[in-house]
Amino acid sequence: NSSAASVYRKIMSMDHIDATNSDTMYEVMTLAMSFLASCDKEKFFGKPVSDRDAPGYSLVIKNKMAFSMMRSKLTSRQYTGLSDFNEDV
């Protein structure tokens, strides 16, 4: 919904956090991840989609992403900034 999108945009506009404190940046990204996952009531974005589940999916979607993959990247601290996180969203 529009209010959810508004909250997400506000969180992601905090680019100044990238350079100042990585712990704070990861807290913000974890909060954003939880918020996004809570908006996915049907769990469509929880796990990666396979071509078996959706024939031809990989022909259309070149950079697959799912909340499970994003959580893994958060846990292993692979994001270098909010912009990296936002690209996965």
Side-chain angles (χ1 to χ4, degrees):
N1 71 37
S2 63
S3 65
S6 174
V7 169
Y8 177 74
R9 279 194 298 278
K10 185 170 184 163
I11 291 169
M12 290 293 91
S13 70
M14 302 168 129
D15 276 335
H16 64 282
I17 292 173
D18 290 34
T20 58
N21 184 331
S22 67
D23 289 336
T24 302
M25 179 186 71
Y26 271 86
E27 287 176 30
V28 167
M29 289 187 294
T30 300
L31 245 166
M33 178 73 249
S34 296
F35 175 74
L36 290 169
S38 74
C39 293
D40 183 23
K41 303 292 184 205
E42 301 298 325
K43 308 293 183 217
F44 291 124
F45 303 104
K47 295 184 180 173
V49 176
S50 71
D51 280 325
R52 192 183 84 209
D53 297 328
Y57 183 81
S58 63
L59 297 173
V60 177
I61 305 298
K62 298 300 177 195
N63 298 317
K64 295 180 184 181
M65 189 49 59
F67 291 147
S68 61
M69 297 165 68
M70 292 174 69
R71 281 189 193 95
S72 177
K73 289 174 83 171
L74 280 169
T75 301
S76 60
R77 297 179 79 88
Q78 291 180 34
Y79 291 112
T80 59
L82 292 175
S83 58
D84 290 345
F85 177 83
N86 203 32
E87 283 180 31
D88 282 350
V89 172

